[in-house]
Amino acid sequence: MSALFSPLKIKNIELKNRIVVSPMCEYSSVDGFANDWHLVHLGSFATGGAGLIITEAAAVSPEGRITFADLGIYKDEHIEKLKQITDFIKAQGAVAGMQLAHAGRKASHEQPWVGGKQIASDQPNGWKTVSASDVPFTDTEEAPIALDKAGIEKVKADFKAATVRAIAAGFEVIELHGAHGYLINQFLSPFSNKRTDEYGGSFENRIRLLLEIIEEVKQVWPSENLLFVRISATEWVEGGWTADDSVALAKILKDKGVDLIDCSTGGNIPNVKIPLTPGYQVEFAAKVKKESAILTGAVGLITEPHQADDIVKNEQADLVFLAREMLRDPHFALRAAHELGADAKWPVQYERAKWSK
């Protein structure tokens, strides 16, 4: 039997296979609202056989958006369209997840296809960003405002309120975005966190915001639902966040009730050389899984069915997250099942196209 197509039951939620659609920003919203693009985009992965489909980063506040066109979950009016999307995903036998995010100092940007540069705070579609410290991402960007205690409390409250909305919208998995140089990651990293209070300095202090956000989220998130955290398992530079830090964090998160660590890397320090080879981040998912005994997800240049199957078979990760390959082929899971000799349920509308064994 294909390991990739073995079901995985976590608590009372069963994923029909180990294939996860990784969060991928679409930069196609107005004021945070999902629309028909998101319905078709995410719905195609559901008809394509993926076990878990996670939305793009959904900003927990307007100032938490990467761009003015990001998906959001910062107002109750966002719920209606998201509920339509989760209903469709569930009708195809998949599980719907939402990534909750705050971009911090990497907010207030143009859409990538028009250059992606930061928009000055005094320009249309721009705003003042916030972070752990007043350290800009690059020398050409505005310095963010270092969050004070009131600002930190607002961030925590925003994540909590977004979680309540995610429940109403029908999501059964939420993933807290603690990677890629966004706000939580900015607190974790000694490169972006220069604070001298209880949120800065030591490892214990730098992880404090993430732990407090988890505490707030768990007050409202149903115990039977799943809580993931995405981390950048290494910053790829000396003196930065390390794989050993990730293991130490994962052990704490497991004790706090986190169900899975989604192991990505980088994103908080510009111009870092990263060895972009197939599956280049799998080793971190394997290390965190082995040394902290928590479920992990592997992501990053995973493009082939046998490659994905081997990751699960060799116990390097429990779930395989795919992004660009899903854009190329939203029906990757159906193709992978055929190539691996596994059974996969096709939508009845598509059964005439099934490959013969």
Side-chain angles (χ1 to χ4, degrees), residues 226-244:
L226 307 186
L227 177 60
F228 295 0
V229 175
R230 172 166 274 191
I231 63 170
S232 283
T234 179
E235 295 195 283
W236 298 103
V237 292
E238 189 173 347
W241 184 270
T242 68
D244 287 335

Side-chain angles (χ1 to χ4, degrees), residues 302-320:
I302 301 168
T303 60
E304 299 294 335
H306 286 280
Q307 176 195 16
D309 191 52
D310 285 344
I311 290 168
V312 180
K313 187 183 300 178
N314 296 332
E315 298 185 351
Q316 294 172 290
D318 301 279
L319 294 175
V320 178

Side-chain angles (χ1 to χ4, degrees), residues 270-298:
N271 305 315
V272 172
K273 298 211 181 311
I274 299 175
L276 296 176
T277 56
Y280 68 104
Q281 296 172 152
V282 173
E283 65 177 286
F284 301 104
K287 179 181 174 69
V288 170
K289 176 178 171 61
K290 180 179 179 181
E291 297 182 24
S292 67
I294 195 171
L295 298 176
T296 62

Side-chain angles (χ1 to χ4, degrees), residues 69-352:
D70 280 23
L71 185 67
I73 191 160
Y74 48 81
K75 57 171 69 174
D76 291 346
E77 291 80 3
H78 290 149
I79 294 169
E80 182 179 4
K81 189 67 176 184
L82 292 169
K83 184 65 164 59
Q84 182 189 5
I85 293 169
T86 63
D87 285 347
F88 183 84
I89 289 171
K90 291 176 186 179
Q92 312 310 312
V95 174
M98 169 165 270
Q99 186 183 67
L100 302 183
H102 191 304
R105 67 180 183 175
K106 293 180 83 172
S108 187
H109 280 253
E110 288 279 8
Q111 294 158 297
W113 48 81
V114 290
K117 291 184 178 180
Q118 189 178 60
I119 302 172
S121 57
D122 60 354
Q123 296 300 306
N125 293 323
W127 60 88
K128 196 68 179 173
T129 66
V130 299
S131 186
S133 303
D134 59 353
V135 180
F137 180 59
T138 68
D139 292 340
T140 61
E141 295 185 356
E142 285 186 23
I145 298 169
L147 284 165
D148 59 15
K149 296 296 174 60
I152 287 174
E153 290 302 315
K154 180 184 183 303
V155 167
K156 290 157 54 177
D158 287 341
F159 271 94
K160 185 175 184 178
T163 301
V164 172
R165 296 187 188 103
I167 297 166
F171 292 99
E172 296 179 277
V173 177
I174 54 173
E175 176 175 271
L176 302 178
H177 199 350
H180 301 163
Y182 299 123
L183 183 64
I184 292 173
N185 194 187
Q186 291 160 28
F187 272 80
L188 296 176
S189 171
F191 277 95
S192 46
N193 185 343
K194 305 297 183 182
R195 302 176 73 97
T196 57
D197 63 2
E198 67 268 36
Y199 291 95
S202 67
F203 171 85
E204 290 75 18
N205 284 355
R206 286 182 282 113
I207 70 172
R208 188 181 305 276
L209 176 63
L210 173 57
L211 299 187
E212 290 181 350
I213 288 172
I214 290 170
E215 185 178 337
E216 292 293 316
V217 164
K218 286 182 69 65
Q219 288 178 16
V220 294
W221 186 237
S223 59
E224 66 270 19
N225 285 1
L226 307 186
L227 177 60
F228 295 0
V229 175
R230 172 166 274 191
I231 63 170
S232 283
T234 179
E235 295 195 283
W236 298 103
V237 292
E238 189 173 347
W241 184 270
T242 68
D244 287 335
D245 289 330
S246 295
V247 170
L249 176 63
K251 291 177 178 177
I252 295 168
L253 295 187
K254 184 181 181 186
D255 287 342
K256 297 293 184 182
V258 171
D259 297 296
L260 180 141
I261 305 295
D262 173 6
C263 297
S264 190
T265 65
N268 191 50
I269 304 169
N271 305 315
V272 172
K273 298 211 181 311
I274 299 175
L276 296 176
T277 56
Y280 68 104
Q281 296 172 152
V282 173
E283 65 177 286
F284 301 104
K287 179 181 174 69
V288 170
K289 176 178 171 61
K290 180 179 179 181
E291 297 182 24
S292 67
I294 195 171
L295 298 176
T296 62
V299 63
L301 295 183
I302 301 168
T303 60
E304 299 294 335
H306 286 280
Q307 176 195 16
D309 191 52
D310 285 344
I311 290 168
V312 180
K313 187 183 300 178
N314 296 332
E315 298 185 351
Q316 294 172 290
D318 301 279
L319 294 175
V320 178
F321 288 61
L322 296 104
R324 287 176 176 84
E325 191 59 25
M326 284 292 185
L327 297 182
R328 300 181 190 107
D329 180 8
H331 295 82
F332 172 89
L334 299 179
R335 175 168 60 84
H338 170 66
E339 292 187 17
L340 295 170
D343 288 326
K345 181 175 173 56
W346 285 56
V348 293
Q349 298 91 335
Y350 289 2
E351 282 184 344
R352 75 190 78 169

